Structures are given as structure tokens and as C-alpha cells.
Amino acid sequence: MRLTDRLPYQAIVDRPKLNLPDGKRLAVWVIVNVEEWGIEGPMPRTVLPPPMGVPLLPDVPNWSWHEYGMRSGFWRQYSALTSREIPTTLAINGNVCNSYPRVAGAALEAGWEFMGHGHLQGPMHNLDDQRTAIHTAMDTIEAFTGTRPTSWESPGLTETDETLDLLREAGVKYVADWVLDDLPQEVDTPHGVITTLPYTVEMNDIAVYALQQHSSDEFLRRGRDHFDRLYAESADNARVMAISIHPYVTGVPHRIRYLEELLDYVGSHEGVAWMTASEVGDWYTDEMIRYNG
């Protein structure tokens, strides 16, 4: 069976009527991605090309670009989210709990949900042993937080044919790698059902700034337009919107205000339910049980 055959096509207009709690209509979840980039190897992403095209090792400028996010940018995003009391999902490389305990500890104290995001930043298909890497990440997060994660976002949204099965085997119920719908979808595995969460490469600051190189206010403009359409559609059936951010991208001084303004705009609508990854997944699971009787 092809991997795509495990996710049969579903038209959004044919999905069952779903009801969010407390009469809300649009679920919005915010994902803060915190990662460990090892200075010993090539950087997962770059902002400054090497002089004369000669690769640098160690790549000091691009490693430092990311490191700025962990030292300064994260705290701007943290303030923006905690001051607004927005439930937040922390997509975290497992080893960040060891290498950046100040960051992980602040998120834990704030009550953020920890979502597995690999152990070290790098694509899943380059791993020699996915099972061990997944379990190491999950075990490390559980040891730090006291709770085993039930949600996962693969680094770079990368998977192989066996990733979903290995994730479910490790206890993951919800995965954010499949940016294919505005509602979750269930996928069968040998270890039980795993559910895709509506994630995003459109409302993702990596795509907006690092790849498409838009001006600082684009995240706010795009976010409003994205939200407005989903909010209008949610009058007929529930929708889910994801906002994915990285400390070294929207945590910088010239962009943070636009993230803050987007959060305020979304929060000004009474029909919004701020949720975390597992809250979205649990809600959908319960709704499908209700729908199927």
C-alpha cells in the first residue's frame, strides 16, 4: 500500500458536522518550534550564504542566527503568548530539555504542551534508526516534564513509509506533518489510529520570511486574511487554524509586533477556541465517536 493510500481523500464539504466546545466555531492553535542546531555540522537552514560559495564549518553566522532565537527571540514570543494567556504547543527537539533547560523550563512552568519534534534537528529520512530516535525524544521529554507527549511534528515535516507506525508505537496519537486539510483525519496503523492535525506551511514564519522573504508585516496581513476566510467558513462547520512560529524568525525585534497584533486580532473574535495539539486531537476524536454513534 502506498503511503498516500492510508489517507483516503475527503472533501471538506462532505465532512460531518462538528461542534467545538462552548459554542465556539474556529479552533486556533499556536506552535512554537524550539530546536537544537549542532554547530559541528551543516545548519538545517541558512540566512547568510558563505563567502565565495565555500561552505563554512563551523558555520558561525548561521548557527548564531538560530542561537539568537533561543537567547532573545524566544522570550519575546513567550511574553506575547503568556501575557495573553494563550494555550501554546511547544514543538521541541527532545535534547533541548538538556541543552536549553531555561527555555524548556519556562515553557513547562507556563503550562505549555510539549510536542515531540525529533531529538536533534534533522530530517527523519536521514536517521539510521528512527525507532530509537523517536523513543529517545519521547523519553527525554517525559523525564523533563513528567508527562509523555501524545503529539508530534517531525523536523521539516519529514517522514518515511514507516514513520507513522513508529510514532504510534511510541505513544503518539496526533501528528502535525500532513498539511492537507482544515480538519483532522484518522490514519490506521498496526498499533492503533493516529490522527493528523491541521498544521501549516502557509501561516508558518519559515515560509513567509526565510523562504519567501516577505517584509516584516506580511505575517499579519496573511494571518488576517487566512483567519477571516476560515472564520467565515466555520459558520457552517468547525475549522482549525494553525500558527507556526520559530524564535529566530518572528522573535526578532522588527517582526514581533506583527505576531502580537495577529494574536490580538484572532483573540478579538468570540467564536475562537484557543487550543493545544492534544486538545484539538482529543476534541476531534470525541466528535467522531459522537458522530459514529
Side-chain angles (χ1 to χ4, degrees), residues 210-289:
L211 300 180
Q212 298 167 357
Q213 300 182 343
H214 285 288
S215 61
S216 297
D217 57 354
E218 173 65 15
F219 206 66
L220 174 60
R221 288 201 307 268
R222 182 181 299 197
R224 282 175 170 168
D225 290 344
H226 195 99
F227 171 85
D228 286 346
R229 178 50 62 104
L230 286 177
Y231 196 75
E233 292 176 353
S234 68
D236 298 321
N237 198 359
R239 294 287 188 271
V240 180
M241 176 177 174
I243 301 173
S244 180
I245 56 177
H246 299 72
Y248 59 99
V249 182
T250 42
V252 299
H254 61 94
R255 296 189 184 119
I256 189 64
R257 62 168 283 197
Y258 300 108
L259 172 62
E260 294 167 335
E261 290 179 23
L262 176 59
L263 296 174
D264 289 338
Y265 181 75
V266 171
S268 69
H269 293 72
E270 293 184 357
V272 167
W274 295 106
M275 289 184 165
T276 64
S278 68
E279 288 173 341
V280 172
D282 289 347
W283 158 74
Y284 181 77
T285 299
D286 290 344
E287 280 295 284
M288 292 308 294
I289 291 173

Side-chain angles (χ1 to χ4, degrees), residues 57-59 75 100 111 122 140 148 164 203 211 267 270 278 286 292:
L57 280 180
D59 188 346
W75 302 103
Y100 297 92
T140 302
R148 194 166 186 82
L164 289 176
M203 282 308 304
L211 300 180
E270 293 184 357
S278 68
D286 290 344
N292 292 320

Side-chain angles (χ1 to χ4, degrees), residues 22-259:
D22 303 320
K24 304 296 185 180
R25 49 195 272 189
L26 177 61
V28 180
W29 66 301
V30 179
I31 310 95
V32 178
N33 297 267
V34 293
E35 303 155 354
E36 180 174 357
W37 292 13
I39 198 170
E40 301 81 9
M43 294 300 100
R45 197 171 302 281
T46 61
V47 66
L48 190 67
M52 306 298 291
V54 179
L56 302 171
L57 280 180
D59 188 346
V60 171
N62 288 303
W63 181 85
S64 299
W65 173 53
H66 170 268
E67 184 72 3
Y68 176 90
M70 300 300 281
R71 296 175 183 236
S72 292
F74 172 83
W75 302 103
R76 294 190 183 100
Q77 294 178 339
Y78 179 84
S79 176
L81 291 160
T82 56
S83 65
R84 291 164 174 80
E85 298 182 343
I86 294 175
T88 301
T89 301
L90 186 78
I92 182 171
N93 286 171
N95 204 54
V96 168
C97 296
N98 302 320
S99 54
Y100 297 92
R102 181 72 176 90
V103 170
L108 180 62
E109 183 178 353
W112 289 7
E113 177 179 323
F114 280 55
M115 165 186 260
H117 188 40
H119 192 61
L120 294 171
Q121 190 64 10
M124 300 293 286
H125 55 271
N126 279 359
L127 296 174
D128 294 330
D129 185 347
Q130 279 195 74
R131 176 180 281 108
T132 297
I134 290 169
H135 279 268
T136 300
M138 298 281 283
D139 292 347
T140 302
I141 295 171
E142 183 178 16
F144 187 83
T145 65
T147 303
R148 194 166 186 82
T150 59
S151 58
W152 179 275
E153 175 203 335
S154 297
L157 310 186
T158 53
E159 289 191 10
T160 69
D161 288 350
E162 64 178 349
T163 303
L164 289 176
D165 298 339
L166 295 174
L167 289 173
R168 191 67 190 93
E169 178 188 66
V172 173
K173 297 194 293 184
Y174 310 120
V175 63
D177 297 343
W178 297 82
V179 292
L180 45 68
D181 209 337
D182 297 317
L183 287 171
Q185 181 169 343
E186 295 176 341
V187 183
D188 290 329
T189 81
H191 312 287
V193 170
I194 194 167
T195 301
T196 67
L197 299 176
Y199 189 64
T200 182
V201 289
E202 296 286 352
M203 282 308 304
N204 188 314
D205 57 7
I206 288 290
V208 172
Y209 297 121
L211 300 180
Q212 298 167 357
Q213 300 182 343
H214 285 288
S215 61
S216 297
D217 57 354
E218 173 65 15
F219 206 66
L220 174 60
R221 288 201 307 268
R222 182 181 299 197
R224 282 175 170 168
D225 290 344
H226 195 99
F227 171 85
D228 286 346
R229 178 50 62 104
L230 286 177
Y231 196 75
E233 292 176 353
S234 68
D236 298 321
N237 198 359
R239 294 287 188 271
V240 180
M241 176 177 174
I243 301 173
S244 180
I245 56 177
H246 299 72
Y248 59 99
V249 182
T250 42
V252 299
H254 61 94
R255 296 189 184 119
I256 189 64
R257 62 168 283 197
Y258 300 108
L259 172 62

Side-chain angles (χ1 to χ4, degrees), residues 8-21:
Y9 174 79
Q10 298 182 16
I12 192 73
V13 295
D14 297 332
R15 302 294 290 272
K17 175 69 175 178
L18 305 176
N19 300 311
L20 282 161

